[in-house]
Amino acid sequence: MNTSYIEIRNLSKKYTVKDNSVEALKGVSLTIPKNEIFGVIGLSGAGKSTLVRCINLLEKPDDGEVIIDGQNLLELSKQELRLKRQKIGMIFQHFNLLEQQTVLENVCFPLEIRRVPKAERKKKALEFLEKVGLADKANAYPSQLSGGQKQRVAIARVLTNEPEVLLCDEATSALDPETTKNILNLLKHIHDTMGITIVIITHEMRVIKEICTQVAVLDNGVVQECGSVKDVFENPQSKSAKRLLLIGETEEANYVG
Amino acid sequence: MLDKEMVKMLFEGVRDTCYMTLVSTFFGYLIGLPLGIFLTLTDKDGLTPNKAIYSLLDVIINITRSVPFLILLIVVMPLTKAIVGKSYGSTATIVPLTIAAAPLIGRMVESSLKDVGKGVIEAAVSMGAKTGTIVRKVLIGEARTSLLTGVAIVLGTVLGYSAMAGVVGGGGLGDIAIRYGYYRYETGIMLITLVFIIAVVQVMQGIGSFVAKKFDHRSK
Ligand SMILES: Nc1ncnc2c1ncn2[C@@H]1O[C@H](COP(=O)(O)OP(=O)(O)OP(=O)(O)O)[C@@H](O)[C@H]1O
Ligand SMILES: [Mg+2]
């Protein structure tokens, strides 16, 4: 059976800007099994980005634990955390490629960080570019690519480290529905062939429907509901889940009509 | 008035001015580049925030930046003498020029590096990059256009300072302009010297902008 792989316990995060403070996460607990495509859905401001950024400690939680593969990330030294992060890939809404470097150099970057010899770097990078269908763009610059192509480069880049976990923060939100579908298919293919645990953050129902197996509904910094996509979608219990479903259906109707 | 002697002097002036400007800018970057990097890293939303270090560097820069160059030139004369052995001539002028250029460069570098998007930096952190790698590949790599434009601006400014040093016999075109134009009332020579100064600035700016553009791969 599936064992728990990412264990999030009682995570809290408060932002204070001047006199205003926002509790972005209020004691979030999640268990993400190995090899799952796990979705986190919620409306804007729900705390999704904060949650996913706490998983690789880009954001430091005020309280709680993040345990990946039995290791509590908050107990790691700086150096250990760096090494751990090399096994936790992340892709972003705005791709975050190096604009002044070619596609190939971008994909080589994580290998350079790991001090992989130059020749091997290039070979490996090309191999992954091939995998995402962009080998012919190796010498192009990101500014010459479409949004979907940029995300493919970002995916190739993240895969060169052969990560055990892949975090996606709104990875398709800047893309049109068709491209979104392509990227999601690519992620699914990667999941099936490489056996990576994927965490997908989104505000779009259709993304969850398309590839996730389990889903957590986040609202106002609290997990309102969590379970298999089928259960949550067919028989939503929480108000937030019902609301998201309603929004999802309206959007879908809009795409068709 | 433009005899052979004069032409020779003007060319030596150009040579000395370029020498002072380029060497001072080079030494200026040796100090200013790390300064700008530390300012960027230690600022409150930098990679390694450190209020004490940031404030200290900030104050030092502000103080040195607010001393007018001519005064700085005189204040550091003992230091100049200790390093170069004399306090006049173009080699001596490099000392105050470097001291004036370094904080300016620090600020320019800081502003260039802070323009690099938070997203790419974060991506590098998420890949487990060391701070040194992020500085080299992400901060400097992504800001290179702006950094190179900065070099062109610094060269222009340092050249302007070097001309000021002419007042105390600093050598170069500024020295000639002041000796002939100010002390001997030979306006013609002064104007010709001025044209040379402008030409040198133009050439440096031109090369700077050209190189900056050439190495820019962002969307236009
Ligand atoms: N760096 C920050 N400083 C202050 N407040 C923040 C910061 N980051 C997030 N917040 C606040 O925390 C809350 C949750 O933000 P978060 O970005 O996690 O939401 P989200 O679910 O990802 O939203 P979206 O779908 O719009 O990306 C929001 O109220 C936001 O204003
Ligand atoms: Mg977000």
Side-chain angles (χ1 to χ4, degrees), chain A residues 81-92:
Chain A
L81 178 61
R82 272 199 326 100
L83 295 177
K84 186 81 183 170
R85 276 178 175 153
Q86 295 176 353
K87 290 284 156 203
I88 310 171
M90 189 169 196
I91 55 175
F92 306 83

Side-chain angles (χ1 to χ4, degrees), chain A residues 41-82:
Chain A
I41 188 166
L43 295 172
S44 183
K48 306 179 298 286
S49 295
T50 309
L51 174 61
V52 76
R53 292 160 55 81
C54 279
I55 297 182
N56 61 358
L57 297 191
L58 279 182
E59 209 76 67
K60 208 165 176 323
D62 299 328
D63 204 8
E65 288 177 330
V66 180
I67 296 157
I68 299 182
D69 203 10
Q71 244 180 339
N72 187 345
L73 264 57
L74 285 141
E75 284 170 0
L76 298 181
S77 70
K78 229 178 133 185
Q79 168 78 0
E80 288 168 331
L81 178 61
R82 272 199 326 100

Side-chain angles (χ1 to χ4, degrees), chain B residues 20-220:
Chain B
M20 284 188 285
T21 306
L22 294 174
V23 174
S24 311
T25 302
F26 174 76
F27 283 125
Y29 268 92
L30 281 189
I31 304 169
L33 186 65
L35 201 56
I37 291 171
F38 278 117
L39 283 166
T40 310
L41 292 177
T42 57
D43 199 6
K44 53 182 182 302
D45 35 283
L47 274 174
T48 53
N50 187 323
K51 202 164 181 205
I53 294 180
Y54 185 85
S55 310
L56 180 71
L57 296 178
D58 195 50
V59 167
I60 294 174
I61 288 185
N62 286 342
I63 291 173
T64 35
R65 293 267 292 134
S66 46
V67 179
F69 180 67
L70 266 183
I71 295 176
L72 182 83
L73 189 75
I74 293 160
V75 170
V76 301
M77 264 184 186
L79 179 70
T80 308
K81 218 164 181 164
I83 297 175
V84 185
K86 55 181 186 175
S87 59
Y88 57 89
S90 37
T91 302
T93 310
I94 288 171
V95 177
L97 278 179
T98 301
I99 295 173
L104 166 70
I105 293 168
R107 277 283 182 245
M108 308 263 311
V109 169
E110 180 192 10
S111 117
S112 294
L113 298 186
K114 281 186 175 167
D115 263 353
V116 174
K118 260 189 123 50
V120 261
I121 299 172
E122 221 157 52
V125 173
S126 80
M127 291 173 210
K130 283 187 183 151
T131 307
T133 312
I134 297 178
V135 166
R136 208 164 35 81
K137 285 286 286 191
V138 183
L139 291 179
I140 295 180
E142 290 296 284
R144 63 181 174 204
T145 306
S146 156
L147 286 169
L148 287 168
T149 310
V151 174
I153 295 172
V154 170
L155 283 171
T157 308
V158 171
L159 193 140
Y161 284 164
S162 83
M164 261 191 252
V167 174
V168 292
L173 289 169
D175 202 347
I176 298 172
I178 286 165
R179 267 190 285 139
Y180 285 81
Y182 188 71
Y183 296 121
R184 296 198 205 162
Y185 302 105
E186 289 195 41
T187 319
I189 304 253
M190 192 185 70
L191 285 179
I192 293 171
T193 316
L194 199 62
V195 170
F196 271 80
I197 293 178
I198 294 170
V200 173
V201 173
Q202 285 296 328
V203 169
M204 285 181 180
Q205 293 275 351
I207 295 175
S209 316
F210 175 79
V211 175
K213 260 210 199 94
K214 187 148 174 82
F215 287 101
D216 191 7
H217 299 293
R218 295 168 302 178
S219 46
K220 309 270 145 60

